[in-house]
Amino acid sequence: MPSLFSKSVEEIEHKNDSDSDQVDTVVGPSVVVEGDFVSHGNIVVKGVVSGNVKTSQHLLVEEGAKIMAHVKARSAKVAGEVRGNIKVKDTLELTATAKVLGDVECGTLIVAGGAGINGKCTTLAVDFSSLKETNKEDKKILGLRKKSKIELAGFEEQQPMASV
Amino acid sequence: MYVYLYDPALKEKRFQSIMKTVENRLTDFGITGRIIRLTPFTNAKPIIEDEVARGSKTFVIVGNDTTFGHIMSSSAALPVTFGYIPVGDDSAVAHSLGIPLNAPAVDVLSARKIEPLDIGWMNNRYFISRIEIEPAPLSVEYDAQFRVRARDGEMGVTICNLLPFQGAHLGARDHVVHPQDVQLDAFLEPVEKKRWFRKRVTTQAASIFPFREMVIRGRRPFTVVADGRHSKEILLSIKLADVKLKMVVGKERMFGLS
């Protein structure tokens, strides 16, 4: 099922044709953007951006595109390179050609096979509280395992050596 | 009270029959008014201000898109209502505003559907439709936040408010803009120089940047065409004006339809 975040440039451009109220920002493949790039609409990056990128809407980094600073968006799909931290409120999708050199923080993370992340990943939409609650039990189990290992080691030490 | 600002070319014989029909229809609708015939060098602003002092509130531009651009460049921000009767064979502005050509435009004028439109300000004058900058080594700074330049040197820039953007590259479609979205739209098209005849061609789709304020700097003077008026600039400061243009529009306009 195609998700909202799997929309391509064609889909965004088609949306423009039907709804001219909102014009998306498109960084073409032959231009270079320098400085903090802030927008309130959808952003499509096909070229190079050397500065922070921030939008309250969707960000699409196409294959071959480069962002060389931090990224903040509501949702994002990355098929190019990002050399900086990515902070996305909703869904972040990394396609097979995506390369991220930085920490990733998002609501939901979708990673395709072949995508590369070199950094810490945090998903905010996933509830980890249940894991914290069982932590004590886990520790107990781990403690028991450790103890049983020591006892087992002691037991092995007490065993007489087998005669050769 | 209506004031009609006539293009000087309307005196020509080829427009006489059209103007007779237009004036007859204005009489039929009971919206005749004072006629002021402009000259190519007339600044419309003091004329309009004088008429406002006399109690006029609606100013109708009668002519073509060049007349429209010429009057708007000085008077767009005045607190009056503007109408447009396009005379001739073609008018991109009228098409965008949903106004038919020649005498049928009077029907739209009499209906008085008034819409507020964004106005752009460039260096020392207003523009309504579009600014076109020919390919040159340019650097564009947006909202004092980020700068955009072409990777390989030259690029052409088009700033659209009312008229759509027509891309130069093969297969480009018209990109319709909205003159009520409280922003202007910049379209950047980097060009490549072909070795043969040093011909400049655009092969990539344009970059699009909605903005409110921008500064364009050139390494050498570049040609600017703002609402049909040519000039050479080395630094161009463009921003969205604080005031709106009150314009009589038709039902067939290309924006603001629900």
Side-chain angles (χ1 to χ4, degrees), chain B residues 83-100:
Chain B
Y84 183 32
I85 299 177
V87 180
D89 301 328
D90 188 34
S91 167
V93 172
H95 179 66
S96 192
L97 293 171
I99 301 170

Side-chain angles (χ1 to χ4, degrees), chain A residues 23, chain B residues 122 127-136 138 140 142 155-169 173-177 183-191 202 205-211 214 216 222-228 236 238:
Chain A
V23 175
Chain B
M122 90 166 233
F127 70 94
I128 303 296
S129 312
R130 190 163 60 197
I131 294 178
E132 285 163 297
I133 300 166
E134 285 185 8
L138 303 170
V140 183
Y142 287 90
M155 63 179 175
V157 181
T158 308
I159 316 293
C160 296
N161 181 41
L162 178 67
L163 293 183
F165 169 72
Q166 293 149 337
H169 77 280
R173 293 173 299 174
D174 278 11
H175 194 113
V176 177
V177 292
Q183 64 184 15
L184 301 168
D185 300 305
F187 297 85
L188 277 58
E189 282 188 304
V191 292
T202 306
S207 298
I208 308 166
F209 294 92
F211 72 100
M214 70 145 62
I216 301 174
F222 49 89
T223 309
V224 181
V225 185
D227 284 359
L236 196 62
I238 303 165

Side-chain angles (χ1 to χ4, degrees), chain A residues 17 26 28 30 32 34 48, chain B residues 147 149 151 173 178 207-208:
Chain A
D17 289 348
V26 181
S30 308
V32 178
E34 294 159 324
V48 179
Chain B
R147 204 171 63 223
R149 60 178 170 82
R151 197 182 278 180
R173 293 173 299 174
H178 197 305
S207 298
I208 308 166

Side-chain angles (χ1 to χ4, degrees), chain B residues 29-104:
Chain B
F29 281 108
I31 49 172
T32 51
R34 194 174 149 83
I35 294 170
I36 297 171
R37 290 180 193 276
L38 302 171
T39 65
F41 304 104
T42 311
N43 182 3
K45 195 181 176 188
I47 295 170
I48 294 172
E49 282 171 339
D50 283 352
E51 292 300 323
V52 169
R54 288 182 199 174
S56 302
K57 285 175 184 170
T58 305
F59 293 80
V60 184
I61 299 159
V62 189
N64 57 18
D65 287 356
T66 311
T67 327
F68 183 87
H70 174 67
I71 293 170
M72 288 301 175
S73 69
S74 62
S75 318
L78 292 174
V80 296
T81 302
F82 282 98
Y84 183 32
I85 299 177
V87 180
D89 301 328
D90 188 34
S91 167
V93 172
H95 179 66
S96 192
L97 293 171
I99 301 170
L101 297 171
N102 306 320

Side-chain angles (χ1 to χ4, degrees), chain A residues 44-141:
Chain A
V44 180
V45 180
K46 299 176 187 176
V48 179
V49 180
S50 48
N52 296 329
V53 177
K54 193 178 171 185
T55 177
S56 53
Q57 296 296 316
H58 184 73
L59 169 73
L60 172 64
V61 183
E62 288 211 333
E63 193 177 342
K66 279 182 190 174
I67 296 178
M68 292 185 278
H70 304 314
V71 168
K72 201 174 178 183
R74 187 176 60 80
S75 61
K77 182 179 177 179
V78 179
E81 280 179 37
V82 178
R83 294 181 191 188
N85 300 340
I86 302 178
K87 203 172 179 182
V88 171
K89 200 179 167 189
D90 296 341
T91 302
L92 169 66
E93 189 183 343
L94 303 178
T95 70
T97 53
K99 285 175 188 173
V100 180
L101 189 67
D103 296 345
V104 171
E105 188 183 307
C106 58
T108 310
L109 180 65
I110 303 166
V111 186
I117 308 172
N118 194 345
K120 195 176 85 178
C121 289
T122 312
T123 48
L124 302 170
V126 180
D127 185 15
F128 289 98
S129 58
S130 57
L131 289 179
K132 282 176 188 170
E133 278 172 18
T134 56
N135 245 359
K136 284 177 189 172
E137 281 177 28
D138 287 351
K139 275 180 188 172
K140 210 173 177 182
I141 292 164

